Amino acid sequence: MNLESISMDAKTSLLEALDRLYAVRPEWTCVRSASDAISLAPKRLLHAGPPFADPRCPSPPVLSSAVLCCLYEGWADTEEQALALIASGQVRLLPAQDYRVVLPLAALVSPSTSLVEVADAARPQGLSSWSILSSGFGPQIRFGSRDLAIIPRMVWRDQYLAPLLHNVLQKSPVDLLTLAVAGLQGGDDLHSCTTVATATLARELHLPDGEAKIMLDTTPLFFLTLWMAACHQMLDATRSDDPMKAIQLVLALAGNGIDVGVRLADEPERWITTAAQVPQGPKLNGIHCATSPMLGDSGVIDAAGFGAQAWSCSSEAAATIRGWMPALNNTKPQWLVGQHPVFNGLNLGSAIDAACVSNHQPTPLIAIAMLEADGHHGLLGRGVCQTDPTLFGAVASCDPVVNEPKTFASLNMAFERYEQALIGNDIAVLDELFWDSPHTLRYGSGEHLYGYAAIQAFRRERPGKGLARTILERSISTFDSKFAITNMVFTRDQEQRQGRQTQSWVRIDGAWRIVAAHVSWADL
């Protein structure tokens, strides 16, 4: 379904909603504490994403951030006391978007937290949107760890940085659309990369020499939370109070580390949820920790046509994770609608129309960082997250369940383990991951191997050096809980041709095993 195929009334309603989005002029107006800005009560913490089924049992990264907030606010003196307060419900975790606040990753808002306010310059009396003020480069509350070094940074943010920036903004608010245009033209996607937008903001603020200026100059993602609030402000303008106008533009696309949810314009207060997918991407310094399911409200940026939706025109922003996804397609998907006049010429959409998402085309992607699943290590690296078509209302088919989150995550861990074993020539792990059966086969660039024994013998005879490779494209699909297909395109040093690999995986006795593999070189 697209603008040409829907009814005239529905098309009119959609265009009116998009016009309201285009009319928003988001600007950064002030910095205020959460207790002052949104009247957040003591022992209340705001988290990203839809509500938890049981707020006393949040996802581990959110729990770690909650422990730090309890210590920071003085509600507890030890981690054990903080955990007891959360488990008893004395400290309550609430969805930030209930307060018009959007938060990155596992960040939480407590009453003392400094929030940035983004208002609509075109509607001075309208409601503002809010997000957290960044504390700068290094350990941060949004990474979902229990690193106690984060607490002094929160103190510095709230007692030094916030008053300074508030005073600067009282002289003149900051137009965020201008900064966004500069960022996009400079190669930012405005989600995983905001380097140029942040540098442009730094020049506009004219901060005096000192800690704040150094922080801004060394924090390339500072613009992120400002743009999250701006995208929330723009998308929220599309909400409909008329039940007869079924406008299904996505207002929110967010995860809490357990579930992922969307809110739609025709029912803006209702979360539609499903199990959250696990982001995929390169991990920092070769870390091999398990990754948390999707966390954060920053998918609002991708829902507004930026982030992963902008990678076709900001390909450098996706360069670090291109090997964890299929090749980029420059064709705008049917569900990406609108064209914001301010960003004219950049081939960007302005919103996701949930009514156009289906099982028969790629679904929206989210540029989202990866956090460690247990809430101890924190940031693992940049990532990309797939979305399930049923999240947007697509009718579940009778076909096999494709990319069920837990199945997909477990298969991807096995795939990554195989890749590390291959480039390191860890023969024991390679042997383990192939099915020990005469039915297993492997076709290589110059050999046809039938049976586990033949594959094992080949592996022991080949040279153990020169196996390193760079993955350029990747496609992983799981079907129900026991079968998967993985495909990749890769390069090796000293080889001009691109390599291709296909593997069929089956879960046997609870463990993923390769039952068939095919590796070949593409002719030049």
Side-chain angles (χ1 to χ4, degrees):
M1 189 170 92
N2 53 36
L3 284 179
E4 284 71 36
S5 62
I6 62 179
S7 70
M8 184 58 68
D9 287 345
K11 181 177 179 179
T12 299
S13 297
L14 177 60
L15 293 176
E16 289 174 348
L18 290 171
D19 283 341
R20 294 195 297 273
L21 183 155
Y22 304 151
V24 175
R25 290 295 177 264
E27 59 180 15
W28 181 20
T29 55
C30 75
V31 180
R32 298 163 63 186
S33 70
S35 59
D36 177 40
I38 58 174
S39 301
L40 188 63
K43 294 189 177 178
R44 299 292 183 269
L45 297 175
L46 305 185
H47 66 83
F52 288 110
D54 184 353
R56 298 170 300 176
C57 300
S59 54
V62 171
L63 180 60
S64 290
S65 294
V67 166
L68 292 185
C69 285
C70 288
L71 297 174
Y72 173 58
E73 292 286 352
W75 301 335
D77 295 323
T78 66
E79 289 189 21
E80 291 71 21
Q81 291 177 2
L83 288 168
L85 288 172
I86 298 162
S88 67
Q90 294 179 67
V91 170
R92 291 182 57 193
L93 276 75
L94 304 167
Q97 293 197 35
D98 287 357
Y99 292 77
R100 299 182 62 84
V101 177
V102 282
L103 297 174
L105 299 174
L108 296 183
V109 169
S110 64
S112 299
T113 301
S114 298
L115 299 179
V116 295
E117 179 183 34
V118 173
D120 181 3
R123 297 174 61 245
Q125 305 306 315
L127 297 174
S128 296
S129 298
W130 306 84
S131 190
I132 194 169
L133 175 65
S134 173
S135 59
F137 189 77
Q140 298 179 47
I141 192 69
R142 67 191 179 105
F143 294 155
S145 76
R146 299 189 193 179
D147 186 347
L148 295 178
I150 294 171
I151 294 179
R153 298 175 64 82
M154 296 165 69
V155 173
W156 179 83
R157 175 196 67 195
D158 297 334
Q159 296 184 8
Y160 172 77
L161 181 62
L164 186 153
L165 290 174
H166 182 78
N167 289 335
V168 170
L169 293 167
Q170 295 314 292
K171 300 174 184 177
S172 176
V174 175
D175 174 23
L176 297 178
L177 288 179
T178 301
L179 301 182
V181 170
L184 290 165
Q185 291 176 340
D188 292 349
D189 67 1
L190 302 183
H191 191 167
S192 65
C193 180
T194 68
T195 303
V196 175
T198 298
T200 308
L201 170 65
R203 290 193 295 271
E204 185 166 330
L205 289 177
H206 300 294
L207 295 180
D209 291 339
E211 290 183 73
K213 187 175 187 301
I214 293 172
M215 181 281 298
L216 195 56
D217 290 341
T218 56
T219 309
L221 276 176
F222 185 88
F223 184 73
L224 171 68
T225 58
L226 294 169
W227 192 238
M228 286 175 60
C231 289
H232 178 274
Q233 188 77 356
M234 290 188 289
L235 290 174
D236 195 67
T238 69
R239 66 163 61 207
S240 173
D241 297 322
D242 184 350
M244 300 302 293
K245 294 183 177 181
I247 302 169
Q248 294 189 292
L249 297 181
V250 175
L251 305 185
L253 179 51
N256 61 23
I258 299 174
D259 297 318
V260 63
V262 299
R263 295 186 297 109
L264 304 180
D266 58 352
E267 291 187 88
E269 309 306 326
R270 183 172 78 95
W271 283 98
I272 303 170
T273 63
T274 189
Q277 289 280 9
V278 174
Q280 309 298 328
K283 293 180 178 176
L284 299 170
N285 303 318
I287 299 170
H288 298 300
C289 302
T291 304
S292 168
M294 179 184 156
L295 258 167
D297 292 322
S298 59
V300 70
I301 295 174
D302 305 75
F306 309 101
Q309 270 53 269
W311 282 347
S312 61
C313 61
S314 300
S315 57
E316 288 188 19
T320 57
I321 56 175
R322 60 182 295 205
W324 276 259
M325 51 190 277
L328 292 172
N329 189 336
N330 291 326
T331 302
K332 186 185 291 187
Q334 290 184 334
W335 43 258
L336 189 58
V337 298
Q339 174 63 69
H340 199 300
V342 170
F343 305 106
N344 193 29
L346 294 173
N347 193 34
L348 299 176
S350 297
I352 294 172
D353 188 350
C356 296
V357 178
S358 74
N359 296 294
H360 307 296
Q361 60 178 327
T363 55
L365 296 175
I366 307 170
I368 196 83
M370 300 180 293
L371 301 184
E372 190 259 333
D374 291 337
H376 298 301
H377 192 280
L379 181 67
L380 298 182
R382 288 182 179 179
V384 61
C385 197
Q386 295 181 324
T387 55
D388 189 322
T390 60
L391 180 64
F392 303 92
V395 177
S397 69
C398 297
D399 298 331
V401 177
V402 177
N403 293 341
E404 186 279 325
K406 290 184 179 179
T407 304
F408 185 88
S410 67
L411 184 279
N412 195 71
M413 289 182 67
F415 179 92
E416 290 287 349
R417 188 167 175 241
Y418 172 86
E419 187 65 17
Q420 293 302 314
L422 176 73
I423 63 178
N425 199 34
D426 188 335
I427 293 176
V429 173
L430 294 173
D431 287 347
E432 174 195 340
L433 291 174
F434 269 75
W435 183 32
D436 187 353
S437 167
H439 300 291
T440 304
L441 66 85
R442 178 187 179 276
Y443 289 168
S445 58
E447 67 281 346
H448 301 156
L449 305 174
Y450 296 94
Y452 179 84
I455 298 169
Q456 189 179 49
F458 165 79
R459 201 171 282 127
R460 278 156 175 73
E461 294 172 1
R462 74 176 176 189
K465 296 182 180 179
L467 299 175
R469 59 188 183 181
T470 299
I471 301 176
L472 301 180
E473 299 169 15
R474 175 184 321 208
S475 175
I476 295 178
S477 299
T478 63
F479 304 87
D480 289 332
S481 62
K482 294 186 177 181
F483 181 71
I485 296 288
T486 65
N487 292 279
M488 70 154 76
V489 178
F490 64 89
T491 59
R492 279 202 170 109
D493 292 342
Q494 312 306 319
E495 175 59 63
Q496 292 183 324
R497 296 173 297 174
Q498 291 185 343
R500 297 169 294 187
Q501 173 185 288
T502 295
Q503 294 172 331
S504 299
W505 294 72
V506 175
R507 185 144 34 191
I508 300 171
D509 294 330
W512 286 106
R513 296 291 181 258
I514 300 166
V515 299
H518 189 167
V519 183
S520 62
W521 295 104
D523 292 333
L524 293 175

